[in-house]
Structure formats: C-alpha cells, structure tokens
Amino acid sequence: MTEPIVKIRGLKKNFGQLEVLKGIDMDIEPRQIFALIGASGSGKSTLLRTINQLEEVTEGEIWFDGELVNQKLPHRQRERHLNQLRQNIGMVFQHFNLFPHLTALENVTLAPVLLRRSSKAEAIEQAKILLDKVGLADRADYYPSRLSGGQKQRVAIARALAMTPKLMLFDEVTSALDPELVGEVNRVMKELAQEHMTMIIVTHDLRFAEDVSDHVVFMADGLVAEQGPPSQVFRAPQEERTKAFLQQVFED
Amino acid sequence: MDIELIGRIWPFFAEAAWVTVKISILAIMLGLTLGFTAALASLSRNPVLRWPARSYVSLFRGTPALIQLFLLYFGGPQIGIHLEPFEAGVIGLGVNIGAYMCESIRGAIISVEKGQTEAGSCLGLAHHQVMSRIILPQAARMMVRPLGVNAIALIKGSAIVSTISVVELSYTAHRYISSTYKPFEMFILASVFYLAIVTIFSYGVKWVDRGVALE
Amino acid sequence: MGLDFTIIPEYLDLLIAGTWWTVALTVVSMAMSLIIGVVFAVMQLSRHRLVRWPVTFFAWLFMGTPLLLQLFLIYFGLVQIGLDLNAFVAGVIALSLHFAVYNSDIIRSAIIAIDDGQYEAARSLGLSQFQTMTRTIVPQAVANVTPALGNMMIALLKESSLVSVIGVMELTLSAQRAISDSFRSFEFYLAAAAIYYVVNLTLEQAVRITERRSARYR
Ligand SMILES: Nc1ncnc2c1ncn2[C@@H]1O[C@H](COP(=O)(O)OP(=O)(O)OP(=O)(O)O)[C@@H](O)[C@H]1O
Ligand SMILES: [Mg+2]
C-alpha cells in the first residue's frame, strides 16, 4: 500500500457558531477517483475547499503529499507555503471562474508563465495541447464571454491541468450547465480518470459518480456517513441515511 | 444682454479657462495617484497600511473642500508650508478628490467576483499577482465611469480656488461682475467655457470607457 | 508663529452659532431642493415638450457649471433685477436650485423604476387610486430614493460652506471672523473642519438609520 496523497484527520470546521464539518477522517491514495456525495448543505464544498485552504481549518489535520497543509506559519511564509501547495492541486468550480479579460489560451497560460514553470512559447505549446485534449483547439483565441457554459468549464479544466497538478478537485462542475452540455464536461473528467489522475469529484450526478469513481464517500451533517466502492455504496448501502438519500435522489 | 461687452472681454475668460483646465488636469493626476495608492492600502490586510488610508478617505470626504483649501493656503504658513495660490489649488483639490477617487477605485476592485481571486490563488499565484494580473485588469473597466464622475465634479469644484485668488474662470467672472455690474452676462460667458470643458471631458471619458470595455 | 489651540474657547460662541447656521442652511436647502426636485421630476415626465424642455435645459446648465458661479449669479443677479435679498436667502435659493437638479434625477428614476405590476396588483385588490399611490407606490419609491437623497444631503452640508463667500455667517465665515480677530488661521480652520466632520458623521449615521427603516422589507 502506498502512502496516501491526501490524509485528513479529525477535521472540524465552524463558520461562527455553525459547525459544518464535525470530525472527518479520510485517506486518498494516488490515482484514486473519489466521488463525494451528500445532501445540499452537508459540507461537501467546505471539505473540498479546506484541502487547498480556500477555507481555514478550525481543528484537525490535513496532509498533502507528506506535508501538513494547515501548518501555523508566520504570514509571509504561510503565503508562500499556500502558493506552493496550490500549484500542485488543481480546482474546478461550479461557476467556472474563468478570467473574463483573457482569452481561453491566455487563461491556460497565465499561471505557468507567471510562476515561471515554463517559457512563454512552451506554455503556449502546452496550452494548445491541453485545449485540444478538452476539444477546444479551435476556441483558443475566444474570450470567455463568447463560449458556452460547457466550453467554459472545459477551458477551466485545461487551465487547472496546465500546472500539472498531482490532485484535481471538482466542485459540482456540471451543476450550472444546461443538461445538454453536461455530457461534454463529464467526458473530459472520465478521460482524466482513465489516465489515472487523482481526483475528488463533488457531484449530485450519482450516475456519473458510479460510472467514474472507484471510491464513494457519502456525507451527511458534516460527517462521513458511509464510504466504499461504488458498487457497495450505491447497490448495497449499509446505513439507513444512505438508503434514504439514494431513494430520494433516484425518485426525482 | 450686453453683447458688445461680451465681445470685448471674452478673451480674458478664454485665458482664465485655460487656467481652469490646467489646474483641473494637475489635480486629477494627483488625485488618481493618491486614490490608487489609498485604495490598494485600504484593501491591504496589514493594518499599518489600511488604517492611514481609511482615515485619509474619511477625513477628506467628511469635511468641505473649501475648508481643506483654506487650511492649506492660509493655515499652512503657520506650520511652515508656504505655497503659491496655484500650487495650493492643485494640492488642495487633488488631495480632496483623491479621497473620492479612492472610493471609486476600491468599489471597482471589490466588485470583482470573489471567485476570480479564488481561481487565481488556486493556481498558486501570489497575492500581488492575483491583484495585478486578474483583479485590476477587470476592475479597471469598472472604475472608468465613477472616476469620470469624480473628475467632472473636480472640474466644477475647481471654482473654489478663486477664493485663494487663482485667476481662473470663476475668479474672472466675479471680478467682472464687481466692475461691470452685469452678473447675467458674466455668468453666461463663464458657463459657456465650463460647459465646453465639461462636455469635451465627458466625451473623453466615454471614449476611454468604450476603449477598455470587454469585447 | 507656533500653534496655539488654547485660543479656541474664547471664540466658541461664534463657532457654535456658525454651526447652527450651517445646520439650518443644510436642512432648509435640502427641504426646498426636495420640493423643487419633485416638481422638476414630474415636469420631466410630462408628455408635453414645452413642459419638459425648460427643465432639461436648466438641469443641463446647472449640472455643467460650478455651484460657486451659480451663487454669484443668484446673489448679484437678484440685486440687478431689484430684489435685494439677504445673503442667507440667496444662499438657500442657490443651494436649493443646485441640488434640486440632482434630486430630480434621483426621484425621476425611482418613479420610472416601479413596475406597472405593482400598480395593477393594488388596483385589482380594490384599492383606490389614492390608496394605491400612498400605500404601495410611494412607500416603495421612498425606500428606493432614500440612500441617494441621503448622500445628496451629506454633499449639501459640505457644499454649504461656499455661501461664506457671499457673506452668510455660517461655520466657515464664523471661523474666518475668528481668524481676522486672532490671526490664527490654522487653529480655526482646523476647528471648523473638526466640527464639519462631527456634523457630517452624525448626518451619515442618521441617513444610515433612515435607510434601514425605509427599506426594512428588503
Ligand atoms: N462562507 C460561509 N460562511 C458561513 N456559512 C457557510 C459558508 N460556506 C458554507 N456555509 C454553510 O456551511 C454549510 C455547508 O455548506 P457547503 O457549501 O459545504 O455544503 P454542500 O454540501 O457543498 O452543499 P451544496 O450541495 O448545496 O453545494 C451550509 O449550511 C452553508 O450554509
Ligand atoms: Mg457545494
């Protein structure tokens, strides 16, 4: 067994009085595809966002690639530590968050060039390969305002991949899309899965979760209620809450 | 209406209008510099930068520009600041409008969605890189109009430097009203110049605004 | 000459009186500029060009020229046509007209912004025209204009210092009187600034509270 790439221990997160995460333990192995499911408000996004420290942790530990993510550091050092960390973790958002003042290509090259990962020419070369991979080679010079939702999301994935991350986080990346555009984005994620990119996918699309993941975590009320391979969690859930949740979702 | 009088003295107004233009442009440049610096400082997480910037904005927006000008020009010598009227005018107006411009710039920066900052820092960009490469280019488009409003307010507001005897448009109007007792004629004459300056400037702002608009 | 703030208490009465005049000037001018602003707004919404145009022209003229110049026009111009008003009245007229133009813009867009559905909904419930206006349209319009009009009043407070140049004994001119007597410019202008600042903060607070009250439903 290899060392997990993400190791979460006793993770708690409060927003003021509100306890959102109430003690999470979780191990993610390299090349694993994690699906995170659960009712709205159960804390899925919050959990995802603590991993790359968009949210600070109230209690507990998060380890990424053998390094403690939430170390107490002086301001300057912490900033550097976070930038380093985040360069290795890609994130894709529900609302794309593409940079509207940059073209698709520039969105993808911005970080590698600024962070001196590669020369400008190399970055452009790399970006073109990535855009081609997500099926948007012909849209490289388009501004986000002229792309459809599905296209925007695929550019956002390419942008995250450009930093050659060791882990990709997806937070309901198809929820804001028209139904007919969901497929093209799912296809890109599926491809990444087949290439064994380590991924954590938060989704309400249970069929996709079952299809793509090799490990499913069902969250309820800020806790992990049940986890296991998709065949078990979806087909033979042990917990009452999981059953109730699945029943409700599949009824709709 | 005394057309003959207007025909005789309008060149003096034209000359004064030029002074109004000069003082306005210099004050706008000073205001932009101060406003920009103060906006960035006031958004900093460092209280040593934030606190002075916020105080500057609050104090200079919270008191009349006229009083600030008097304090600088008449009160300045007492604390060792000796300025010519024109210099005092530029500095007084510029420092005052800078506080308002700070709010315009700050507002534009804040209006950029939070997701943009998150997306930037998720890529591992440093704070200053997110600011200069992602937030500011987007904010720039949103600050043109409010800054234009500030600048136009300044052009009109520059009339107050007549009280410290800068020979600009309003000073000239006042002087000729006193010597000719023709307030309507002088008002119209000065108004023509003010309206011309303000109109040209508004077109300039619109032009810039279109230039920076998203495609 | 060093600074000596101990002299200020000697002239405190003068400054306090000046402060009251500034407050009075602000309140009276704001009230008048609101009334005139409503009239202008209604005129601008008229179907008749002959009603709209004079207001449009006046607004263009007053928005494009400095308040100080308008003050000269009104103060000296009224004398010219035989109306020798005292400075306070001239000051109020100038401030009211100047701010009326801006207020009318605010009020007009608030009236336009209320959608017809509100009117129709109220009428279909059986409310009369008058009830519809006073119970549904006006309260919404008031809530919509309060923040912007509040900001205008805050601006008016500061701009009112300009009427010192035509000899209204408000706060700025009071400070100047104290200075011509004591030769202490820095001290008294700073004192005046401090008073303006406090009055301004108080007014901002009042505006904020009114804003919250009038928009409770949001
Ligand atoms: N920044 C915040 N401040 C305060 N409360 C927050 C914040 N972010 C999230 N919450 C609260 O935390 C709880 C969990 O939110 P979270 O977004 O993690 O849920 P989720 O499982 O992702 O839900 P959804 O499926 O709707 O996205 C919710 O009750 C939410 O209101
Ligand atoms: Mg969520």
Side-chain angles (χ1 to χ4, degrees):
Chain A
M1 190 99 181
T2 47
E3 176 75 359
I5 186 161
V6 180
K7 199 164 75 179
I8 297 173
R9 291 292 176 268
L11 175 63
K12 292 187 182 173
K13 170 71 186 173
N14 300 349
F15 287 112
Q17 298 291 323
L18 183 69
E19 282 185 58
V20 177
L21 300 179
K22 300 175 182 165
I24 306 257
D25 295 308
M26 199 181 268
D27 282 336
I28 298 159
E29 308 295 331
R31 306 156 86 85
Q32 215 173 14
I33 318 293
F34 248 61
L36 212 51
I37 61 169
S40 186
S42 55
K44 305 182 296 293
S45 297
T46 308
L47 173 59
L48 209 61
R49 292 160 61 88
T50 51
I51 294 175
N52 66 358
Q53 291 286 285
L54 283 183
E55 303 289 356
E56 288 190 24
V57 169
T58 308
E59 217 184 294
E61 290 181 351
I62 300 176
W63 296 80
F64 174 76
D65 210 11
E67 198 184 358
L68 183 61
V69 165
N70 56 320
Q71 1 182 337
K72 289 262 169 292
L73 287 173
H75 180 77
R76 272 273 160 78
Q77 269 170 291
R78 181 174 156 77
E79 171 101 12
R80 212 169 318 127
H81 159 72
L82 286 184
N83 295 340
Q84 206 56 48
L85 170 81
R86 287 168 177 164
Q87 291 178 31
N88 290 315
I89 303 179
M91 183 161 192
V92 185
F93 302 85
Q94 182 176 358
H95 295 288
F96 331 124
N97 296 346
L98 285 187
F99 307 131
H101 61 300
L102 303 177
T103 62
L105 187 81
E106 288 166 345
N107 263 279
V108 180
T109 56
L110 180 77
V113 172
L114 273 184
L115 299 170
R116 303 187 201 290
R117 276 291 180 89
S118 47
S119 72
K120 186 140 195 198
E122 283 164 10
I124 291 174
E125 202 55 40
Q126 179 65 16
K128 283 185 175 158
I129 294 171
L130 285 170
L131 285 175
D132 190 41
K133 182 184 168 88
V134 299
L136 290 172
D138 55 335
R139 294 289 188 275
D141 296 325
Y142 281 46
Y143 282 94
S145 58
R146 291 179 53 206
L147 298 174
S148 74
Q151 292 172 334
K152 280 184 199 164
Q153 199 58 296
R154 287 185 280 150
V155 173
I157 294 173
R159 177 176 71 179
L161 290 174
M163 293 302 291
T164 54
K166 296 179 181 159
L167 168 71
M168 286 283 285
L169 308 175
F170 294 86
D171 190 1
E172 293 192 33
V173 296
T174 55
S175 296
L177 299 179
D178 292 335
E180 72 271 18
L181 301 177
V182 169
E184 61 190 58
V185 175
N186 280 350
R187 216 169 304 128
V188 171
M189 285 197 278
K190 184 101 193 262
E191 239 179 79
L192 282 177
Q194 281 157 359
E195 294 166 13
H196 299 293
M197 168 66 83
T198 315
M199 313 203 274
I200 306 178
I201 302 170
V202 172
T203 182
H204 283 295
D205 186 344
L206 299 190
R207 272 175 237 288
F208 178 67
E210 182 170 11
D211 180 30
V212 76
S213 72
D214 46 34
H215 191 90
V216 179
V217 174
F218 170 63
M219 283 184 67
D221 271 340
L223 287 168
V224 175
E226 179 162 2
Q227 58 178 319
S231 53
Q232 180 207 313
V233 176
F234 287 117
R235 301 296 158 197
Q238 308 292 308
E239 302 285 326
E240 283 311 312
R241 311 179 72 166
T242 320
K243 287 179 196 162
F245 174 73
L246 292 174
Q247 197 168 15
Q248 201 187 353
V249 174
F250 281 115
E251 255 170 30
D252 292 344
Chain B
M1 176 104 70
D2 194 338
I3 301 290
E4 191 269 333
L5 174 68
I6 291 179
R8 194 149 41 79
I9 63 171
W10 76 265
F12 297 106
F13 279 76
E15 224 170 286
W18 179 233
V19 177
T20 291
V21 169
K22 270 195 298 194
I23 209 164
S24 299
I25 289 176
L26 290 173
I28 288 169
M29 284 177 358
L30 175 60
L32 281 173
T33 312
L34 287 172
F36 200 76
T37 314
L40 288 182
S42 74
L43 289 169
S44 157
R45 275 167 303 186
N46 185 349
V48 178
L49 295 174
R50 203 169 57 218
W51 195 79
R54 300 224 167 137
S55 311
Y56 160 59
V57 171
S58 171
L59 290 174
F60 282 82
R61 292 180 78 217
T63 52
L66 188 68
I67 289 282
Q68 293 162 22
L69 188 66
F70 286 168
L71 191 58
L72 176 67
Y73 183 69
F74 297 114
Q78 268 175 270
I79 53 168
I81 301 173
H82 299 269
L83 295 170
E84 293 299 313
F86 186 85
E87 297 163 353
V90 169
I91 295 172
L93 292 174
V95 173
N96 176 260
I97 206 68
Y100 290 87
M101 287 178 156
C102 172
E103 289 298 90
S104 301
I105 294 167
R106 211 168 87 92
I109 292 175
I110 290 174
S111 75
V112 176
E113 279 178 51
K114 198 169 135 246
Q116 292 289 314
T117 312
E118 289 189 350
S121 37
C122 275
L123 291 169
L125 300 184
H127 190 65
H128 71 271
Q129 289 172 320
V130 173
M131 193 47 128
S132 66
R133 305 302 289 263
I134 296 170
I135 306 302
L136 285 180
Q138 293 180 58
R141 304 183 158 121
M142 272 176 290
M143 62 180 79
V144 175
R145 272 157 197 273
L147 286 176
V149 171
N150 295 147
I152 285 167
L154 177 116
I155 295 171
K156 291 181 281 171
S158 72
I160 62 170
V161 301
S162 63
T163 58
I164 57 168
S165 56
V166 177
V167 187
E168 43 69 85
L169 268 174
S170 292
Y171 182 92
T172 308
H174 190 201
R175 184 167 71 194
Y176 279 103
I177 289 171
S178 312
S179 61
T180 64
Y181 302 105
K182 299 269 198 251
F184 291 104
E185 283 84 346
M186 297 311 131
F187 174 76
I188 287 167
L189 201 42
S191 295
V192 167
F193 283 104
Y194 274 117
L195 288 165
I197 297 169
V198 167
T199 306
I200 292 169
F201 198 87
S202 310
Y203 274 109
V205 172
K206 280 204 190 105
W207 182 75
V208 173
D209 191 47
R210 263 202 307 273
V212 298
L214 274 178
E215 64 151 13
Chain C
M1 184 153 91
L3 298 181
D4 175 18
F5 288 95
T6 57
I7 191 147
I8 289 173
E10 277 179 49
Y11 296 87
L12 208 54
D13 288 349
L14 186 63
L15 292 180
I16 289 173
T19 307
W20 282 121
W21 278 109
T22 285
V23 171
L25 198 57
T26 306
V27 171
V28 174
S29 303
M30 188 64 196
M32 283 198 40
S33 75
L34 276 178
I35 296 168
I36 304 170
V38 170
V39 173
F40 281 180
V42 171
M43 284 172 76
Q44 285 232 283
L45 289 170
S46 157
R47 264 163 305 173
H48 303 289
R49 267 185 251 165
L50 283 180
V51 179
R52 277 196 325 255
W53 279 3
V55 182
T56 308
F57 174 75
F58 183 79
W60 172 75
L61 186 62
F62 264 48
M63 277 187 171
T65 56
L67 172 61
L68 192 64
L69 198 64
Q70 294 159 16
L71 203 55
F72 292 155
L73 171 73
I74 286 159
Y75 184 59
F76 298 108
L78 290 176
V79 175
Q80 192 75 8
I81 58 173
L83 271 174
D84 199 352
L85 299 173
N86 77 32
F88 184 82
V89 176
V92 167
I93 293 175
L95 286 171
S96 317
L97 285 176
H98 181 81
F99 280 90
V101 169
Y102 292 90
N103 290 347
S104 103
D105 250 20
I106 294 166
I107 293 165
R108 186 162 52 108
S109 22
I111 295 174
I112 295 171
I114 293 170
D115 87 81
D116 292 341
Q118 290 291 316
Y119 185 83
E120 285 164 10
R123 292 310 296 271
S124 69
L125 287 171
L127 268 62
S128 72
Q129 164 103 31
F130 182 75
Q131 286 168 326
T132 301
M133 286 309 279
T134 55
R135 293 306 175 88
T136 69
I137 306 297
V138 173
Q140 289 185 54
V142 168
N144 292 344
V145 297
T146 306
L149 289 179
N151 288 342
M152 278 299 145
M153 187 158 176
I154 290 164
L156 201 158
L157 167 68
K158 287 172 280 175
E159 297 282 295
S160 74
S161 61
L162 292 194
V163 302
S164 61
V165 302
I166 59 168
V168 181
M169 264 303 267
E170 42 63 81
L171 182 51
T172 304
L173 193 55
S174 302
Q176 276 165 349
R177 283 291 149 81
I179 290 164
S180 57
D181 197 58
S182 67
F183 303 104
R184 295 262 163 204
S185 304
F186 193 88
E187 290 88 337
F188 280 102
Y189 283 132
L190 196 63
I195 297 174
Y196 272 115
Y197 188 69
V198 171
V199 177
N200 186 67
L201 277 189
T202 314
L203 186 57
E204 272 180 14
Q205 213 49 44
V207 167
R208 207 94 9 98
I209 290 168
T210 318
E211 209 172 294
R212 233 174 289 145
R213 286 252 173 90
S214 68
R216 243 174 321 194
Y217 66 89
R218 273 188 255 200

